[in-house]
Amino acid sequence: MCALPWPSPPLSDGVVTLRPWQPDDIPAMLVAFHDPVFQRFSDWAPLTDAAAREHFSDLERARLRGEVLDLAIVDPAVLGGVSLHGVAGERGRIGYWLAPDARGRGVATRAVRLLVRWAFDAVGLTRLELTCGPDNVASHCVAERCGFRREALLRAHQPFKGGMRDSVVYGLQNTRL
Ligand SMILES: CC(C)(COP(=O)(O)OP(=O)(O)OC[C@H]1O[C@@H](n2cnc3c(N)ncnc32)[C@H](O)[C@@H]1OP(=O)(O)O)[C@@H](O)C(=O)NCCC(=O)NCCS
């Protein structure tokens, strides 16, 4: 597959904008990744400046392979991140996180809606999936606000903190087809 393009102009709803990550964003990103709520629901994230730079390089290689587009959510301060990943054929997955002080005001919902519409309209995907831990209720709510439907509970689905974690799977089809 071809590289996933950077959305141009950047995706925005007038409240939040999605733009490529920049090295200057690393300090804000690292603070957010050390947050206990983020740590509770995430198995891995870069926690040092060097790891973050390597992470950006990995993301760029994956974007050029057509697999991943990972964007900063800004207003213009960095509020969090949203990604289209696992792109294969006409399917892809959505992921997101917010810095603690950006939560509780609809930022993730806005960002996911922007990226979902772009993935369907500009990339031509027909189905998106979203996978959450069963106890990540805030994330389930974001998925449902964005129109995803809960489709399955997969037992011992993915490696997580040294064991295997169940996953709730949400799906969304492109209804404009
Ligand atoms: C998952 C996560 C992004 C959800 O953050 P969030 O702030 O709850 O999500 P949103 O930005 O969509 O905000 C929704 C909240 O804003 C409120 N809100 C205000 N205005 C809103 C609007 N215009 N639209 C939607 N929600 C709005 C909602 O009522 C909701 O609050 P509530 O949860 O008290 O009902 C956040 O908890 C997080 O970063 N967690 C750690 C990382 C993580 O778990 N990522 C997901 C892995 S699957």
Side-chain angles (χ1 to χ4, degrees):
M1 187 174 178
C2 329
L4 286 171
W6 297 112
S8 179
L11 301 173
S12 181
D13 64 0
V15 175
V16 300
T17 299
L18 311 185
R19 62 144 171 84
W21 288 103
Q22 302 164 0
D24 285 355
D25 300 329
I26 289 176
M29 175 191 252
L30 293 181
V31 169
F33 285 171
H34 281 87
D35 164 59
V37 174
F38 182 93
Q39 287 289 323
R40 176 177 165 199
F41 294 114
S42 301
D43 198 30
W44 180 87
L47 295 175
T48 65
D49 185 85
R53 286 173 193 274
E54 183 60 31
H55 179 57
F56 285 168
S57 299
D58 291 345
L59 291 175
E60 179 59 6
R61 283 191 287 272
R63 186 186 75 80
L64 293 172
R65 290 195 301 270
E67 296 168 2
V68 173
L69 187 78
D70 195 300
L71 296 164
I73 309 169
V74 303
D75 78 346
V78 173
L79 305 175
V82 64
S83 67
L84 172 65
H85 58 275
V87 176
E90 296 189 358
R91 288 189 295 141
R93 296 198 295 271
I94 296 285
Y96 41 83
W97 58 270
L98 292 179
D101 61 4
R103 294 180 194 147
R105 50 186 161 109
V107 166
T109 302
R110 288 177 179 279
V112 171
R113 285 182 178 149
L114 285 168
L115 192 56
V116 161
R117 192 35 56 209
W118 182 81
F120 285 153
D121 292 351
V123 185
L125 302 188
T126 58
R127 173 180 164 83
L128 290 167
E129 290 179 2
L130 205 155
T131 303
C132 313
D135 56 343
N136 196 348
V137 176
S139 186
H140 300 180
C141 290
V142 173
E144 286 163 17
R145 277 188 209 102
C146 295
F148 284 76
R149 288 204 183 152
R150 185 175 169 133
E151 295 182 339
L153 174 66
L154 305 184
R155 298 289 185 191
H157 175 238
Q158 70 180 52
F160 193 74
K161 300 187 191 292
M164 294 299 285
R165 191 204 71 182
D166 294 351
S167 292
V168 178
V169 179
Y170 286 87
L172 180 65
Q173 275 68 247
N174 186 0
T175 51
R176 291 194 193 166
L177 286 175

Tab-separated table of all heavy atoms in Angstrom, residues 37-38 41 96-98 103-110 131-132 136 138-139 142 145, ligand 1:
chain	number	residue	atom	x	y	z
A	37	VAL	N	-3.538	7.354	35.084
A	37	VAL	CA	-4.657	6.788	34.304
A	37	VAL	C	-4.138	6.262	32.971
A	37	VAL	O	-4.509	5.166	32.526
A	37	VAL	CB	-5.775	7.846	34.086
A	37	VAL	CG1	-6.850	7.298	33.146
A	37	VAL	CG2	-6.370	8.249	35.424
A	38	PHE	N	-3.241	7.031	32.345
A	38	PHE	CA	-2.650	6.554	31.089
A	38	PHE	C	-1.903	5.244	31.341
A	38	PHE	O	-2.062	4.263	30.598
A	38	PHE	CB	-1.684	7.604	30.513
A	38	PHE	CG	-1.100	7.185	29.199
A	38	PHE	CD1	-1.697	7.554	28.006
A	38	PHE	CD2	0.016	6.361	29.149
A	38	PHE	CE1	-1.175	7.129	26.788
A	38	PHE	CE2	0.538	5.934	27.946
A	38	PHE	CZ	-0.056	6.315	26.758
A	41	PHE	N	-4.056	2.028	31.690
A	41	PHE	CA	-4.692	1.424	30.516
A	41	PHE	C	-3.742	1.185	29.342
A	41	PHE	O	-4.186	0.741	28.288
A	41	PHE	CB	-5.873	2.292	30.069
A	41	PHE	CG	-6.989	2.313	31.079
A	41	PHE	CD1	-7.321	3.474	31.755
A	41	PHE	CD2	-7.689	1.153	31.370
A	41	PHE	CE1	-8.333	3.497	32.703
A	41	PHE	CE2	-8.707	1.157	32.310
A	41	PHE	CZ	-9.032	2.327	32.980
A	96	TYR	N	-6.501	6.519	20.884
A	96	TYR	CA	-6.471	7.900	21.379
A	96	TYR	C	-6.072	7.937	22.844
A	96	TYR	O	-6.207	6.963	23.569
A	96	TYR	CB	-7.853	8.570	21.224
A	96	TYR	CG	-9.011	7.677	21.570
A	96	TYR	CD1	-9.421	7.518	22.882
A	96	TYR	CD2	-9.663	6.950	20.588
A	96	TYR	CE1	-10.457	6.673	23.203
A	96	TYR	CE2	-10.704	6.100	20.890
A	96	TYR	CZ	-11.104	5.970	22.211
A	96	TYR	OH	-12.127	5.115	22.532
A	97	TRP	N	-5.570	9.099	23.241
A	97	TRP	CA	-5.284	9.380	24.650
A	97	TRP	C	-5.322	10.883	24.833
A	97	TRP	O	-5.115	11.648	23.873
A	97	TRP	CB	-3.917	8.821	25.071
A	97	TRP	CG	-2.759	9.343	24.255
A	97	TRP	CD1	-2.249	8.792	23.107
A	97	TRP	CD2	-2.008	10.550	24.483
A	97	TRP	NE1	-1.231	9.568	22.623
A	97	TRP	CE2	-1.040	10.661	23.462
A	97	TRP	CE3	-2.047	11.540	25.472
A	97	TRP	CZ2	-0.139	11.718	23.384
A	97	TRP	CZ3	-1.145	12.589	25.404
A	97	TRP	CH2	-0.209	12.667	24.360
A	98	LEU	N	-5.598	11.312	26.056
A	98	LEU	CA	-5.590	12.743	26.382
A	98	LEU	C	-4.727	12.996	27.603
A	98	LEU	O	-4.674	12.161	28.522
A	98	LEU	CB	-7.010	13.238	26.710
A	98	LEU	CG	-8.037	13.271	25.588
A	98	LEU	CD1	-9.372	13.762	26.148
A	98	LEU	CD2	-7.582	14.152	24.432
A	103	ARG	N	-9.100	16.221	29.682
A	103	ARG	CA	-10.223	15.260	29.728
A	103	ARG	C	-11.509	15.935	30.211
A	103	ARG	O	-11.472	16.985	30.828
A	103	ARG	CB	-9.854	14.092	30.667
A	103	ARG	CG	-8.699	13.280	30.116
A	103	ARG	CD	-8.315	12.113	31.030
A	103	ARG	NE	-7.005	11.609	30.609
A	103	ARG	CZ	-6.078	11.098	31.408
A	103	ARG	NH1	-6.325	10.968	32.708
A	103	ARG	NH2	-4.923	10.699	30.931
A	104	GLY	N	-12.630	15.284	29.915
A	104	GLY	CA	-13.919	15.720	30.455
A	104	GLY	C	-14.564	16.862	29.706
A	104	GLY	O	-15.519	17.466	30.182
A	105	ARG	N	-14.067	17.168	28.491
A	105	ARG	CA	-14.690	18.254	27.712
A	105	ARG	C	-14.861	17.919	26.235
A	105	ARG	O	-14.968	18.810	25.393
A	105	ARG	CB	-13.935	19.570	27.906
A	105	ARG	CG	-12.439	19.511	27.711
A	105	ARG	CD	-11.824	20.863	28.086
A	105	ARG	NE	-10.420	20.802	28.347
A	105	ARG	CZ	-9.486	21.317	27.539
A	105	ARG	NH1	-9.825	21.912	26.438
A	105	ARG	NH2	-8.215	21.231	27.858
A	106	GLY	N	-14.847	16.653	25.918
A	106	GLY	CA	-15.207	16.250	24.557
A	106	GLY	C	-14.087	16.284	23.541
A	106	GLY	O	-14.332	16.111	22.336
A	107	VAL	N	-12.848	16.481	23.982
A	107	VAL	CA	-11.721	16.604	23.038
A	107	VAL	C	-11.486	15.295	22.284
A	107	VAL	O	-11.286	15.297	21.053
A	107	VAL	CB	-10.450	17.044	23.802
A	107	VAL	CG1	-9.204	16.847	22.950
A	107	VAL	CG2	-10.580	18.497	24.248
A	108	ALA	N	-11.490	14.167	22.993
A	108	ALA	CA	-11.243	12.880	22.318
A	108	ALA	C	-12.360	12.589	21.314
A	108	ALA	O	-12.102	12.126	20.195
A	108	ALA	CB	-11.113	11.753	23.336
A	109	THR	N	-13.587	12.869	21.712
A	109	THR	CA	-14.727	12.635	20.814
A	109	THR	C	-14.572	13.468	19.538
A	109	THR	O	-14.757	12.957	18.421
A	109	THR	CB	-16.033	13.009	21.548
A	109	THR	OG1	-16.121	12.212	22.733
A	109	THR	CG2	-17.250	12.767	20.687
A	110	ARG	N	-14.197	14.723	19.690
A	110	ARG	CA	-14.001	15.583	18.512
A	110	ARG	C	-12.893	15.037	17.616
A	110	ARG	O	-13.041	14.976	16.382
A	110	ARG	CB	-13.618	17.008	18.957
A	110	ARG	CG	-14.744	17.794	19.572
A	110	ARG	CD	-14.262	19.174	20.044
A	110	ARG	NE	-15.348	19.941	20.624
A	110	ARG	CZ	-16.252	20.618	19.904
A	110	ARG	NH1	-16.167	20.619	18.582
A	110	ARG	NH2	-17.221	21.280	20.482
A	131	THR	N	-10.276	-1.035	20.074
A	131	THR	CA	-10.156	-2.083	21.086
A	131	THR	C	-9.823	-1.461	22.425
A	131	THR	O	-8.875	-0.678	22.519
A	131	THR	CB	-9.028	-3.062	20.684
A	131	THR	OG1	-9.327	-3.574	19.389
A	131	THR	CG2	-8.925	-4.213	21.652
A	132	CYS	N	-10.595	-1.804	23.464
A	132	CYS	CA	-10.373	-1.223	24.791
A	132	CYS	C	-10.335	-2.322	25.836
A	132	CYS	O	-10.968	-3.371	25.680
A	132	CYS	CB	-11.543	-0.340	25.221
A	132	CYS	SG	-12.145	0.824	24.051
A	136	ASN	N	-12.075	0.048	30.885
A	136	ASN	CA	-11.761	1.409	30.437
A	136	ASN	C	-13.044	2.116	29.989
A	136	ASN	O	-13.266	2.384	28.807
A	136	ASN	CB	-10.716	1.379	29.323
A	136	ASN	CG	-10.080	2.745	29.117
A	136	ASN	OD1	-10.575	3.746	29.639
A	136	ASN	ND2	-8.996	2.784	28.363
A	138	ALA	N	-14.206	5.160	30.310
A	138	ALA	CA	-14.114	6.455	29.610
A	138	ALA	C	-13.874	6.238	28.126
A	138	ALA	O	-14.435	6.937	27.278
A	138	ALA	CB	-12.997	7.299	30.219
A	139	SER	N	-13.058	5.229	27.804
A	139	SER	CA	-12.773	4.949	26.400
A	139	SER	C	-13.996	4.351	25.699
A	139	SER	O	-14.281	4.682	24.539
A	139	SER	CB	-11.578	4.003	26.300
A	139	SER	OG	-11.206	3.845	24.958
A	142	VAL	N	-16.186	7.209	24.693
A	142	VAL	CA	-15.714	7.919	23.492
A	142	VAL	C	-16.144	7.137	22.251
A	142	VAL	O	-16.698	7.702	21.298
A	142	VAL	CB	-14.178	8.093	23.508
A	142	VAL	CG1	-13.682	8.668	22.192
A	142	VAL	CG2	-13.747	8.976	24.682
A	145	ARG	N	-19.899	7.509	21.693
A	145	ARG	CA	-20.264	8.866	21.235
A	145	ARG	C	-19.927	9.060	19.760
A	145	ARG	O	-20.558	9.841	19.074
A	145	ARG	CB	-19.480	9.922	22.029
A	145	ARG	CG	-20.076	10.262	23.347
A	145	ARG	CD	-19.320	11.446	23.952
A	145	ARG	NE	-19.384	11.347	25.384
A	145	ARG	CZ	-18.394	10.915	26.149
A	145	ARG	NH1	-17.234	10.614	25.638
A	145	ARG	NH2	-18.565	10.813	27.442
B	1	LIG	C1	-10.003	7.556	27.093
B	1	LIG	C2	-9.876	9.055	27.278
B	1	LIG	C3	-9.233	9.695	26.054
B	1	LIG	C4	-11.296	9.622	27.429
B	1	LIG	O1	-11.208	11.005	27.749
B	1	LIG	P1	-12.548	11.844	27.992
B	1	LIG	O2	-12.168	13.206	28.425
B	1	LIG	O3	-13.487	11.062	28.851
B	1	LIG	O4	-13.161	11.884	26.527
B	1	LIG	P2	-13.730	13.130	25.712
B	1	LIG	O5	-12.648	14.095	25.404
B	1	LIG	O6	-14.490	12.599	24.544
B	1	LIG	O7	-14.687	13.847	26.742
B	1	LIG	C5	-15.853	13.237	27.138
B	1	LIG	C6	-16.342	13.969	28.370
B	1	LIG	O8	-16.516	15.344	28.068
B	1	LIG	C7	-17.908	15.696	28.224
B	1	LIG	N1	-18.223	16.589	27.111
B	1	LIG	C8	-18.325	17.908	27.228
B	1	LIG	N2	-18.599	18.434	26.045
B	1	LIG	C9	-18.640	17.427	25.150
B	1	LIG	C10	-18.861	17.357	23.751
B	1	LIG	N3	-19.102	18.454	23.025
B	1	LIG	N4	-18.813	16.151	23.144
B	1	LIG	C11	-18.556	15.040	23.851
B	1	LIG	N5	-18.342	15.038	25.194
B	1	LIG	C12	-18.390	16.234	25.841
B	1	LIG	C13	-18.670	14.397	28.202
B	1	LIG	O9	-19.877	14.501	28.936
B	1	LIG	C14	-17.684	13.464	28.853
B	1	LIG	O10	-17.664	13.609	30.254
B	1	LIG	P3	-18.136	12.397	31.175
B	1	LIG	O11	-17.137	11.273	30.907
B	1	LIG	O12	-18.028	12.959	32.534
B	1	LIG	O13	-19.508	12.084	30.696
B	1	LIG	C15	-9.059	9.420	28.549
B	1	LIG	O14	-9.689	8.869	29.679
B	1	LIG	C16	-7.611	8.908	28.495
B	1	LIG	O15	-6.750	9.567	27.912
B	1	LIG	N6	-7.352	7.747	29.121
B	1	LIG	C17	-5.999	7.176	29.163
B	1	LIG	C18	-5.598	6.605	27.806
B	1	LIG	C19	-6.628	5.613	27.288
B	1	LIG	O16	-7.225	4.885	28.052
B	1	LIG	N7	-6.828	5.606	25.961
B	1	LIG	C20	-7.769	4.700	25.329
B	1	LIG	C21	-7.207	3.330	25.171
B	1	LIG	S1	-8.436	2.241	24.446
